Amino acid sequence: MTNILHIDSSARSGQSGQQAHGSHSRRLSAKFIELWRAKRPNDEIIYRDVGLTPPAPVTGQWVHAAFTKPEEREDWMRDALAESDALVDELLRADVIVAGVPMYNFGMPAQMKAWIDNIVRVGRTFGFDRSLGNVPYWPLVTGNKSVVVLSARGDFGYDPNGRVAHLNHVEGGVLSPLHYIGITDQYTAAIEYDEFGDDRLNQSIRDAEETVSELVDKIMAKHNALIPA
């Protein structure tokens, strides 16, 4: 069985195509799950809506607690890390992470950044040893995990080599820290032209949904091959 962690981070609660002013990124992440369920209905799906229920941002107390050895933590430290522990547990359990992440002011929503900051955890998702010198870090997340970032943008030309690709900090902002902790099998798709609302938007939606369908097949084949016969 494959376990999927489905994350939405849009501040909009509905999906485009179903609700006026609905979210394109929620539409794409829901499409991925719908197509996956149609072929593997018994796989486990964990849903985390950080857009509507965001994790608490990292604080000084959180950092103090995270860098304290587990056996030396006081009760307040364990309390400070409780939500982070739950988020990390979900991540570690998942084989596939599907994240709907719209572009807000050229980057990811603050809610998604809070999730990233909570799951990039010393001692849990990356190791740290100052005695190692200039490279004291190493990834701790193993298990051939895959991640798919499904985005939406008001303008166009944000893909690699596009006219405003240099302004796109969404995919890199999500995928770089996940690569850092060990999740290196990474995929993306995005809807553009939202602010134009013309035929280019409709075509972009069709293209993105076709890419999502292709990614479902590709990632499913990979993870089917990892399941023992």
Side-chain angles (χ1 to χ4, degrees), residues 34 62 73-74 100 152 180 183 192 200 209 215:
E34 174 192 348
W62 187 102
R73 286 176 188 152
E74 301 176 21
Y180 172 79
I183 304 174
E192 296 193 314
R200 291 174 295 178
E209 289 187 332
L215 290 178

Side-chain angles (χ1 to χ4, degrees), residues 97-108:
I97 301 97
V98 180
V101 188
M103 175 181 283
Y104 289 177
N105 301 314
F106 309 110
M108 75 182 85

Side-chain angles (χ1 to χ4, degrees), residues 53-125:
T53 309
V58 165
T59 64
Q61 286 188 323
W62 187 102
V63 175
H64 185 176
F67 277 88
T68 300
K69 293 180 180 179
E71 64 272 17
E72 297 176 2
R73 286 176 188 152
E74 301 176 21
D75 288 343
W76 71 264
M77 294 178 174
R78 287 185 282 272
D79 291 341
L81 296 174
E83 182 178 37
S84 172
D85 282 332
L87 296 175
V88 171
D89 288 345
E90 287 179 350
L91 177 70
L92 296 180
R93 185 174 180 177
D95 302 298
V96 179
I97 301 97
V98 180
V101 188
M103 175 181 283
Y104 289 177
N105 301 314
F106 309 110
M108 75 182 85
Q111 299 97 314
M112 188 66 186
K113 183 60 166 64
W115 182 83
I116 292 285
D117 290 342
N118 272 277
I119 60 92
V120 179
R121 270 275 300 280
V122 63
R124 293 220 59 194
T125 57

Side-chain angles (χ1 to χ4, degrees), residues 18-65:
Q18 296 183 2
Q19 180 176 317
H21 310 295
S23 163
H24 293 310
S25 64
R26 288 180 184 271
R27 175 181 186 150
L28 291 183
S29 70
K31 186 68 172 179
F32 187 103
I33 297 301
E34 174 192 348
L35 294 172
W36 190 285
R37 279 191 184 278
K39 297 181 179 182
R40 292 186 60 89
N42 295 324
D43 284 352
E44 179 183 30
I45 308 234
I46 304 166
Y47 184 60
R48 173 69 66 167
D49 193 336
V50 302
L52 301 185
T53 309
V58 165
T59 64
Q61 286 188 323
W62 187 102
V63 175
H64 185 176

Side-chain angles (χ1 to χ4, degrees), residues 17 22 26 38 44 46 57 64 109 114 130 146 150-151 186 191-192 198 207 215 219 221:
R26 288 180 184 271
E44 179 183 30
I46 304 166
H64 185 176
R130 190 175 286 111
S146 302
L150 303 172
S151 192
Q186 303 182 335
I191 291 171
E192 296 193 314
D198 54 21
D207 291 344
L215 290 178
I219 297 169

